[in-house]
């Protein structure tokens, strides 16, 4: 803010001539400012001339994990300038788990810098370093290209263009296509505080779901009567068929919410979000059934590793994995994915069937990830 105030003050020094007469300031950046103090002593200026516009044709963009995505941002002047100008662009990011309302100036203070550029010089920051660049396909194109998309890249991105005293911006939301799934502890129902839920999802190659992701999953038919943490610290659960014990039969279908809960003291399940995986999840063909230890070793012997819950859900939802064979997963649970419901394969709708966390000495198949 100070860097913008200094040129403004410099302009104001030249606004008032002896005798109280104003003139166009000596500071010249291609824009025009006029004195409108008119005796009020504030030395205020107003803009009167070329205008900077920053726009995005797509307010939201969706992509898959591991792919590349372009967040569109373009700027132009009205009227158009006859000679090119040196402008500065700054891309910043507000993570999805902090987005609970439309963008506000207060929200921008929590943003993380992604990239800054001026002319041919640019710099990227943090986890985005080496993964981002500006597209520059035409004059005024400041679109951000992100490579090797990661689960945590979801959120709101702000493209800010700065030219002298002019500063305009636009936001673009990035969503990853994926799947939301409920997850509970081996100890049973409601054993995660917020931070435990975060870690549990991460251990299964997933992240805590956002409200928007859970809402979209509910619209697609997710029905689960156990409450779980979301990324914003609220506790909610989705109901498509109202019933007793899940808010009651008289309450309309929707997301039931407990609101914000104490992140340390309160315990619930988790709603996790997983996106596409680079590798392949498969059911290992083996001559015999395996206990958990044998299952881990069998995947390793096949040049793979035992699959995680988030990987199985992503393979089921996004890649059509369909297998009516129960198999061990990395967390010690036993599950199997069904895309085409059929006799002897569980309920009449598609889904990932779960046997919970059986004793580790029992024999099942195994799902591997390579």
């Amino acid at each position: 803010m100070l860097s913008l105030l200094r040129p403004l003050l410099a302009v104001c020094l030249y606004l008032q001539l002896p005798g109280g007469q104003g003139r166009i300031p000596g500071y010249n950046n291609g824009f025009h400012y006029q004195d409108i103090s008119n005796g009020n002593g504030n030395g205020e200026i107003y803009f009167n001339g070329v205008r900077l516009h920053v726009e995005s044709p797509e307010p939201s963009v969706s992509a898959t994990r591991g792919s590349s995505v372009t967040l569109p941002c373009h700027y132009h002047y009205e009227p158009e300038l006859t000679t090119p100008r040196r402008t500065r662009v700054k891309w910043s990011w507000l993570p999805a788990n902090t987005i609970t309302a439309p963008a506000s100036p207060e929200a921008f203070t929590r943003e993380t810098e992604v990239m800054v550029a001026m002319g041919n010089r640019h710099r990227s920051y943090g986890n985005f370093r080496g993964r981002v660049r500006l597209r520059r396909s035409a004059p005024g194109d400041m679109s951000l290209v992100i490579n090797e998309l990661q689960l945590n890249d979801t959120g709101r991105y702000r493209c800010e263009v700065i030219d002298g005293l002019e500063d305009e911006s636009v936001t673009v939301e990035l969503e990853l296509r994926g799947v939301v799934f409920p997850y509970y502890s081996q100890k049973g129902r409601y054993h995660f505080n917020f931070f435990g839920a975060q870690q549990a999802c991460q251990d299964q190659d997933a992240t805590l779901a956002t409200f928007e992701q859970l809402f979209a999953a509910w619209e697609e038919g997710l029905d689960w009567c156990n409450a779980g943490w979301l990324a914003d610290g609220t506790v909610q659960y989705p109901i498509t068929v109202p019933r007793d014990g899940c808010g009651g039969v008289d309450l309309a279908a929707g997301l039931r919410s407990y609101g914000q809960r104490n992140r340390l003291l309160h315990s619930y399940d988790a709603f996790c979000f997983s996106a596409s995986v680079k590798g392949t999840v498969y059911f290992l063909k083996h001559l015999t059934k395996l206990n958990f230890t044998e299952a881990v070793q069998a995947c390793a012997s096949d040049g793979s590793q035992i699959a995680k819950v988030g990987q199985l859900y992503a393979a089921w939802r996004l890649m059509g994995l369909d297998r009516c064979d129960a198999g061990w997963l990395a967390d010690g649970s036993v599950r199997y994915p069904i895309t085409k419901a059929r006799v002897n394969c569980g309920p009449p709708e598609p889904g990932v069937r779960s046997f919970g966390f059986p004793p580790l000495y029992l024999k099942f198949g195994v799902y591997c990830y390579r």
Side-chain angles (χ1 to χ4, degrees):
M1 186 66 182
L2 289 176
S3 60
L4 292 178
L5 288 175
R6 290 192 184 101
L8 177 60
L9 293 173
V11 172
C12 294
L13 292 176
Y14 290 91
L15 289 176
Q16 192 69 31
L17 290 176
Q21 298 177 349
R23 64 176 176 85
I24 295 177
Y27 180 85
N28 182 11
N29 67 345
F31 298 94
H32 303 286
Y33 304 88
Q34 291 183 0
D35 178 20
I36 56 169
S37 58
N38 294 325
N40 63 14
N42 293 329
E44 296 179 81
I45 60 173
Y46 75 94
F47 175 80
N48 182 28
V50 179
R51 251 205 101 98
L52 172 66
H53 292 270
V54 180
E55 302 166 333
S56 176
E58 300 177 66
S60 65
V61 175
S62 63
T64 57
R65 180 165 53 161
S67 67
S68 296
V69 68
T70 299
L71 308 183
C73 175
H74 305 269
Y75 76 91
H76 67 277
Y77 298 94
E78 291 183 1
E80 291 293 339
L81 299 178
T82 56
T83 58
R85 299 181 48 80
R86 285 176 60 85
T87 56
R88 176 175 177 262
V89 63
K90 173 185 174 182
W91 276 96
S92 53
W93 167 66
L94 187 66
N97 62 357
T98 61
I99 298 176
T100 57
S104 65
E106 292 77 13
F108 291 151
T109 63
R110 301 191 300 271
E111 290 180 344
T112 298
E113 287 189 342
V114 174
M115 164 179 270
V116 294
M118 178 178 288
N120 294 324
R121 301 174 61 190
H122 59 85
R123 176 181 294 175
S124 55
Y125 297 90
N127 191 42
F128 294 97
R129 187 172 298 160
R131 294 196 296 127
V132 294
R133 63 179 176 84
L134 295 181
R135 184 171 61 181
R136 296 187 186 274
S137 63
D141 183 9
M142 292 296 181
S143 302
L144 183 71
V145 179
I146 309 176
N147 297 315
E148 294 293 324
L149 278 176
Q150 302 174 5
L151 274 175
N152 291 326
D153 288 342
T154 56
R156 180 181 293 125
Y157 290 76
R158 184 162 71 114
C159 174
E160 180 182 11
V161 179
I162 304 167
D163 187 340
L165 294 180
E166 301 307 306
D167 182 345
E168 297 292 332
S169 66
V170 69
T171 60
V172 182
E173 289 201 32
L174 173 62
E175 300 175 347
L176 290 187
R177 292 190 287 272
V179 57
V180 172
F181 60 94
Y183 191 78
Y184 59 89
S185 168
Q186 294 184 17
K187 299 176 182 178
R189 181 174 178 257
Y190 294 176
H191 278 275
F192 297 133
N193 66 17
F194 175 79
F195 303 102
Q198 276 188 322
Q199 187 62 53
C201 291
Q202 183 178 329
D203 290 343
Q204 298 311 312
D205 195 37
T207 61
L208 272 178
T210 66
F211 170 83
E212 291 79 9
Q213 289 165 346
L214 183 64
F215 185 83
W218 168 76
E219 287 184 313
E220 294 170 358
L222 180 61
D223 184 286
W224 194 257
C225 197
N226 288 348
W229 291 103
L230 295 182
D232 61 0
T234 62
V235 173
Q236 309 195 37
Y237 62 99
I239 295 296
T240 59
V241 181
R243 53 198 184 273
D244 289 333
C246 301
V249 295
D250 296 328
L251 191 62
L255 297 188
R256 314 284 196 242
S257 177
Y258 292 179
Q260 292 281 341
R261 309 301 286 172
N262 188 295
R263 299 189 180 198
L264 280 173
L265 301 180
H266 292 144
S267 295
Y268 297 93
D269 292 342
F271 285 102
C272 303
F273 173 81
S274 182
S276 58
V277 292
K278 288 185 178 180
T280 301
V281 176
Y282 62 97
F283 184 81
L284 180 65
K285 295 180 180 180
H286 200 271
L287 295 176
T288 62
K289 300 293 185 181
L290 308 164
N291 63 33
F292 179 74
T293 301
E294 292 168 341
V296 172
Q297 293 172 345
C299 287
S301 298
D302 201 48
S304 306
Q305 59 189 24
I306 190 168
K308 299 179 178 181
V309 176
Q311 294 167 344
L312 183 70
Y313 268 94
W316 161 71
R317 184 58 183 271
L318 304 174
M319 303 176 70
L321 182 62
D322 183 284
R323 187 84 190 196
C324 194
D325 294 285
W328 289 107
L329 295 175
D331 65 341
S333 66
V334 173
R335 308 172 194 248
Y336 63 99
I338 297 296
T339 57
K340 297 180 180 178
R342 50 200 183 272
V343 178
N344 299 324
C345 293
E349 62 275 342
V352 173
R353 320 298 194 211
S354 175
F355 284 72
F357 297 90
L360 300 181
Y361 59 80
L362 293 184
K363 304 272 187 171
F364 297 95
V366 61
Y367 287 93
C368 303
Y369 172 73
R370 177 188 295 139

